[in-house]
């Protein structure tokens, strides 16, 4: 079986509140990889149901993530856009890999601990084995590169260990490649606008903590105006951002949105007060995000178009994953 050298796989959960962290940490990087890689971008609806999702909202949110991909510049004709539940290889491989991955590996996953909270006994089994499904997503396509935000690093390491253990256990050297994480840019971990020490997240109860891909220009400006900072002006270099998480976060967002480094942004705004920097950041964010938000709205109104993209994408995804699964069945000894 040929091993592609430049195959990208990544996914986003359709759990609503798609935010600036998802965009800068992941989706924007997905777009850039299209020139050099064969890309497969998935809406991971099976991951979403590891915590309760209202079925109607899940369907709407699945279409919304697909719309966000396309509106951001992913070309669903040249590359593959689909939703996970349409391709049964993901679930099938996840089961086989559940028998490869060790309980001890999953017990170390910090995201499970965070998401399950104090009452771990009440978390779904799916939430616990979530990283195994993620490894299956990647390995079903024998993907070589996986663009993600910083928070997925540990899950990627588990996917690499899983590939290696499968190859060793079944004496199938190099069958699964070691997928490389691609954690790129100045905004690999966008923080909450209300608390610069916490990650920007879909589940934060405060709407002011995140800029979403649905926000109007006024919403964006308001949230940036209210972002938590400190009374000092911006420093002249990156070292001066140490111990100033709110300031560091806003400079990182500005850098990512303007395709600059934090050092370049500080060279421009050194000594500026937040009363100057925040409006400049709000203008930049509106300039970059509003066209995407508007295009998403337009696409969401054309449900038939989105559904056709997802259906065709799933067909093309199956054409890659099914032969891999056929080979996995042989390797494992299923007849
Ligand atoms: P999800 O849906 O939580 O997030 C989607 C992508 O957004 C990134 N991200 C962030 N980046 C920067 N700053 C933030 N505050 C921030 N919050 C989220 C995430 O790192 C991610 O890249 N398990 C994955 C989905 C998944 C997947 C996969 C990814 C399922 N299967 C296979 C890659 C390959 C997740 O929950 O992402």
């Amino acid at each position: 079986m040929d091993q592609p050298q430049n195959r990208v796989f990544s996914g986003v959960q359709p759990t609503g509140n798609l935010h600036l962290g998802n965009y800068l940490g992941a989706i924007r990087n997905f777009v850039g990889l299209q020139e050099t890689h064969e890309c497969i971008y998935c809406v991971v609806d099976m991951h979403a149901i590891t915590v309760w999702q209202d079925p109607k909202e899940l369907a709407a949110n699945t279409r919304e993530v697909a719309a966000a991909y396309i509106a951001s510049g992913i070309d669903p004709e040249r590359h593959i856009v689909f939703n996970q539940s349409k391709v049964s290889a993901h679930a099938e491989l996840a089961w086989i890999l559940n028998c490869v991955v060790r309980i001890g590996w999953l017990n170390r996953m910090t995201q499970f601990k965070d998401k399950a909270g104090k009452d771990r006994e009440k978390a779904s089994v799916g939430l616990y084995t979530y990283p195994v499904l993620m490894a299956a997503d990647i390995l079903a396509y024998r993907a070589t590169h996986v663009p993600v935000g910083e928070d997925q690093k540990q899950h990627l390491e588990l996917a690499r260990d899983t590939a290696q253990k499968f190859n060793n256990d079944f004496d199938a050297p190099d069958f699964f490649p070691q997928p490389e994480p691609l954690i790129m840019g100045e905004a690999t971990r966008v923080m909450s606008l209300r608390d610069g020490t916490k990650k920007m997240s879909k589940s934060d109860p405060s709407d002011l903590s995140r800029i979403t891909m649905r926000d109007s220009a006024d919403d964006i400006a308001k949230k940036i105006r209210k972002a938590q900072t400190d009374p000092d002006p911006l420093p002249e270099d990156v070292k001066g951002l140490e111990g100033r998480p709110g300031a560091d976060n806003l400079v990182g967002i500005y850098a990512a949105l303007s395709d600059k480094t934090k050092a370049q942004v500080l060279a421009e705004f050194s000594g500026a007060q937040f009363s100057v920097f925040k409006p400049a950041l709000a203008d930049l964010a509106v300039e970059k995000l509003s066209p995407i938000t508007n295009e998403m709205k337009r696409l969401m109104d054309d449900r038939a178009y989105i559904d056709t993209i997802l259906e065709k994408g799933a067909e093309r995804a199956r054409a890659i994953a099914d032969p891999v699964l056929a080979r996995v069945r042989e390797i494992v000894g299923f007849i």
Side-chain angles (χ1 to χ4, degrees), residues 101-137:
V101 170
R102 305 291 94 179
I103 290 176
W105 300 6
L106 291 181
N107 285 344
R108 285 196 285 276
M109 295 293 114
T110 55
Q111 191 162 306
F112 173 73
K113 290 179 197 162
D114 291 348
K115 283 202 178 170
K118 284 207 184 78
D119 208 354
R120 218 178 275 182
E121 300 273 309
K122 293 241 169 79
S124 74
V125 176
L127 189 66
Y128 183 65
T129 63
Y130 177 116
V132 183
L133 177 59
M134 185 163 156
D137 295 340

Side-chain angles (χ1 to χ4, degrees), residues 13 21-22 47 130 134 137 148-149 151-152 188 190 200 202:
Q13 294 193 69
N22 301 129
H47 276 104
Y130 177 116
M134 185 163 156
D137 295 340
V148 281
D151 62 339
Q152 296 300 316
T188 56
V190 177
M200 183 178 285
K202 293 171 188 159

Side-chain angles (χ1 to χ4, degrees), residues 144-331:
T144 53
H145 296 86
V146 185
V148 281
E150 176 86 37
D151 62 339
Q152 296 300 316
K153 203 170 162 188
Q154 196 185 31
H155 290 160
L156 253 293
E157 277 158 17
L158 186 133
R160 289 166 65 87
D161 291 346
T162 306
Q164 189 166 25
K165 186 165 178 352
F166 180 95
N167 293 351
N168 289 346
D169 287 357
F170 293 101
D171 196 17
D174 303 327
F175 178 67
F176 284 131
Q178 290 273 295
E180 282 292 328
L182 297 175
I183 300 175
M184 303 182 288
E186 289 280 7
T188 56
R189 189 174 175 82
V190 177
M191 307 307 274
S192 157
L193 298 179
R194 301 304 292 165
D195 177 353
T197 63
K198 273 184 16 197
K199 194 181 71 172
M200 183 178 285
S201 97
K202 293 171 188 159
S203 55
D204 192 312
S206 167
D207 195 41
L208 286 176
S209 71
R210 64 186 157 254
I211 291 171
T212 77
M213 294 184 77
R214 278 187 201 172
D215 281 344
S216 67
D218 285 351
D219 292 335
I220 293 174
K222 181 178 88 186
K223 289 177 184 182
I224 291 175
R225 200 167 56 242
K226 295 197 169 201
Q228 182 213 45
T229 45
D230 54 43
D232 295 336
L234 284 175
E236 60 186 28
D237 58 22
V238 177
K239 208 164 174 338
L241 290 171
E242 274 172 23
R244 300 179 64 187
D248 188 22
N249 191 34
L250 295 190
V251 171
I253 292 172
Y254 193 103
L257 284 171
S258 58
D259 281 314
K260 289 183 180 151
T261 61
K262 283 189 203 176
Q264 286 170 322
V265 175
L266 289 177
E268 203 177 317
F269 286 96
S270 165
Q273 297 292 340
F274 283 104
S275 56
V276 173
F277 183 65
K278 281 180 168 179
L281 175 59
D283 286 348
L284 176 66
V286 169
E287 179 199 322
K288 299 286 177 181
L289 298 176
S290 290
I292 300 176
T293 303
N294 293 340
E295 179 63 1
M296 273 173 74
K297 276 201 199 112
R298 194 186 69 74
L299 291 166
M300 290 290 285
D301 285 340
D302 193 350
R303 199 161 127 172
Y305 170 74
I306 298 279
D307 289 359
T308 307
I309 295 284
L310 293 175
E311 194 52 63
K312 285 193 180 152
E315 239 169 71
R316 290 163 63 201
R318 277 184 222 112
I320 300 174
D322 286 353
V324 175
L325 262 288
R327 184 72 192 110
V328 167
R329 281 189 220 104
E330 268 171 25
I331 290 173

